Amino acid sequence: MDKLVVAGGISLRGRVAISGAKNASLAILCAAVMAGELVTLENVPDIRDVQVMVDILRSLGAQIHRTTPSGSLRILMTEPPAQMPPYHLAKQLRASNLLLGPLVARFGRAEIPLPGGCNIGTRPMDLHFKGLTALGAQLSLERGTVVARAAGLEGNRVYLDFPSVGATENIMMAACLAQGQTVIENAAREPEVVDLANFLNCLGARVRGAGTDVIKIEGVDSLGGCLRYAVIPDRIEAGTFMVAAAATRGEVILENVIPRHLEPLIAKLREAGVEIEEEEDRIRVRASGPLSPIDIKTMPYPGFPTDMQSQMMALLSTIPGTSVIVENIFENRFKVVDELKRMGARIKVEGRLAVVEGVERLQGACVRATDLRAGAALVVAGLMAEGETRIGNVVYIDRGYFNLEQKLKMLGARIWRTSSEADAPAQNGTARKSAMV
Ligand code: UD1
């Protein structure tokens, strides 16, 4: 099992280009099974979650060709799926549930083994089911597999009790091929939902209002192809680099970002004393003076993203004073606390509340990623810690970050991957035994 090793204490400096958004890519890949003609996607990151999704789509019979690792994917699915996604693939990816809407809408049937993904809470699917049922699909759970059947969907009004990203996306996709109008009320407003809606419209769908809490979809008979659709930049990857820059008291310019998508994070980092300059598609982050503790509450967009909570916790763990974090989205998102404590952090958890008492510095230690963003938080912690941090369960980090080590190394970090306990970096910055990446 690979480990990431981080030799801490170096301020990050330089420029980093942000890759395409994981969550937008996954939803758009699912939507691509509704396209009747060729789809070309750009800026799709070659990360583990995308690779698994590509394998799932291939198992359904889609032809998929990747032209460059950082970018272009061509997808064509003309025939009904010969088989449904196998369990060993679907269980690896929570977002496989986003195939329910597209498959039942286009082919009248979908069978998705109950999905897996990061262990960050119970993650029910009742809102997905409520919406798809309202459109006329019959849903049942048969031996661990969600089965959806429909002899044609019909538009309807759907009120979401919570603005779930996945439920909004699933219902929005299915509604594109339903007869008549669908209105999703209390819809999620995340940028990834807007990106998906833009892609669907590129295929010939009629979606309006994405980005607000009321999305209206006029169903069409079929969807076409799309010659080129570029996925938005990953705001969580960008946010992780911003927090890492602040945590190491460095100065980093992020390129290929949409600053508007990062406003909640930018606001909180500024409150803590981090200097941030925004340009059209670039952000400069600098932390030179002392930083102050802040309080954070995770909320649906445009609130503070739950996917940035763990990385912020790592940063706050060395800011003198008391910071309070309230996690309102996923109940298991505090698993990283025990790992940060191994590094000397002082954090108390009470239900959905974490109280962080800033310590002077963290100490390198052997830790374990408990989910994707926890892994990112441990990298941030390792970058600012004294000594070496060895992070296990790297597979979680690989799910969502494209070339994380290379990008950090370009910013001056000493980070490498190893499969051996004995490996260590040589003085000149190259690794003994293990291949530096
Ligand atoms: C997506 C993102 C994930 C992010 C999350 C919240 C993808 C692939 N993943 O996950 O990175 O952390 O949004 O921004 O895009 N809920 C229900 N019933 C449902 C569905 C959800 O109660 O049917 C609850 C969940 O338990 C959770 C909350 O709604 O408490 C938010 O979940 P949701 O927005 O659906 O997250 P995902 O789409 O799973």
Side-chain angles (χ1 to χ4, degrees), residues 126-132 134-135 156-164 167-168 171 182-188 213-215:
D126 54 320
L127 300 173
H128 300 240
F129 296 166
K130 176 181 176 179
L132 294 176
L135 299 186
N156 204 342
R157 289 189 94 81
V158 181
Y159 173 80
L160 295 181
D161 304 85
F162 183 90
S164 151
T168 302
I171 299 161
T182 297
V183 180
I184 308 174
E185 292 171 321
N186 199 26
D213 57 4
V214 180
I215 301 180

Side-chain angles (χ1 to χ4, degrees), residues 237-252:
E237 185 201 8
T240 302
F241 277 100
M242 291 172 74
V243 169
T248 58
R249 307 301 189 265
E251 181 167 355
V252 170

Side-chain angles (χ1 to χ4, degrees), residues 82-413:
Q83 58 157 4
M84 289 297 167
Y87 175 70
H88 75 274
L89 290 176
K91 73 168 187 193
Q92 294 181 43
L93 196 58
R94 164 85 185 166
S96 55
N97 66 4
L98 295 179
L99 281 164
L100 267 184
L103 286 176
V104 75
R106 183 171 178 202
F107 300 112
R109 189 175 173 92
E111 288 175 29
I112 309 290
L114 272 179
C118 278
N119 180 17
I120 52 173
T122 49
R123 305 186 83 166
M125 286 188 62
D126 54 320
L127 300 173
H128 300 240
F129 296 166
K130 176 181 176 179
L132 294 176
T133 307
L135 299 186
Q138 283 130 36
L139 283 123
S140 54
L141 186 62
E142 296 174 15
R143 281 185 254 116
T145 295
V146 183
V147 180
R149 297 180 184 88
L153 298 175
E154 281 198 30
N156 204 342
R157 289 189 94 81
V158 181
Y159 173 80
L160 295 181
D161 304 85
F162 183 90
S164 151
V165 174
T168 302
E169 292 174 338
N170 234 336
I171 299 161
M172 186 167 79
M173 290 188 281
C176 289
L177 292 177
Q179 233 178 32
Q181 190 185 65
T182 297
V183 180
I184 308 174
E185 292 171 321
N186 199 26
R189 296 157 62 186
E190 268 70 0
E192 294 76 18
V193 173
V194 179
D195 207 30
L196 174 63
N198 289 339
F199 171 70
L200 289 164
N201 287 340
C202 184
L203 299 180
R206 295 172 62 196
V207 181
R208 286 179 295 136
T212 75
D213 57 4
V214 180
I215 301 180
K216 293 185 177 160
I217 305 119
E218 298 290 339
V220 295
D221 289 341
S222 64
L223 296 174
C226 180
L227 283 181
R228 176 183 176 273
Y229 188 85
V231 173
I232 54 169
D234 197 307
R235 64 194 167 104
I236 307 301
E237 185 201 8
T240 302
F241 277 100
M242 291 172 74
V243 169
T248 58
R249 307 301 189 265
E251 181 167 355
V252 170
I253 295 173
L254 293 97
E255 295 174 337
N256 184 34
V257 288
I258 300 177
R260 195 168 28 92
H261 294 170
L262 285 147
E263 280 313 327
L265 176 66
I266 290 173
K268 293 313 282 189
L269 285 174
R270 281 194 176 131
E271 204 178 305
V274 180
E275 298 151 59
I276 296 174
E277 287 168 35
E278 299 168 52
E279 290 172 32
E280 198 186 329
D281 60 356
R282 294 200 317 182
I283 296 178
R284 180 194 292 267
V285 185
R286 191 156 72 112
S288 46
L291 300 181
S292 319
I294 50 169
D295 294 343
I296 287 173
K297 283 186 186 156
T298 63
M299 304 284 277
Y301 189 84
F304 190 90
T306 176
D307 284 352
M308 281 305 305
Q309 185 261 103
S310 305
Q311 302 89 312
M312 277 299 268
M313 179 183 273
L315 166 65
L316 296 175
S317 69
T318 62
I319 296 182
T322 307
S323 298
V324 176
I325 299 176
V326 182
E327 173 55 60
N328 288 312
I329 311 292
F330 291 119
E331 67 274 17
N332 284 3
R333 266 265 154 95
F334 286 148
K335 282 186 169 178
V336 71
V337 169
D338 286 341
E339 306 303 307
L340 290 173
K341 279 181 169 173
R342 285 170 178 272
M343 301 178 70
R346 287 177 57 201
I347 305 169
K348 274 192 193 145
V349 174
E350 193 64 54
R352 288 179 176 264
L353 194 94
V355 180
V356 184
E357 297 286 349
V359 296
E360 201 172 313
R361 76 173 47 88
L362 297 178
Q363 312 289 328
C366 284
V367 289
R368 199 171 53 90
T370 47
D371 63 63
L372 165 58
R373 306 305 171 186
L378 294 171
V379 171
V380 170
L383 288 169
M384 58 179 169
E386 200 172 62
E388 210 171 87
T389 299
R390 303 176 79 85
I391 305 169
N393 277 358
V394 178
V395 64
Y396 278 121
I397 299 174
D398 294 338
R399 292 183 55 169
Y401 289 89
F402 180 62
N403 277 351
L404 182 67
E405 298 112 277
Q406 287 92 327
K407 288 183 181 185
L408 284 170
K409 275 162 68 76
M410 295 286 288
L411 297 175

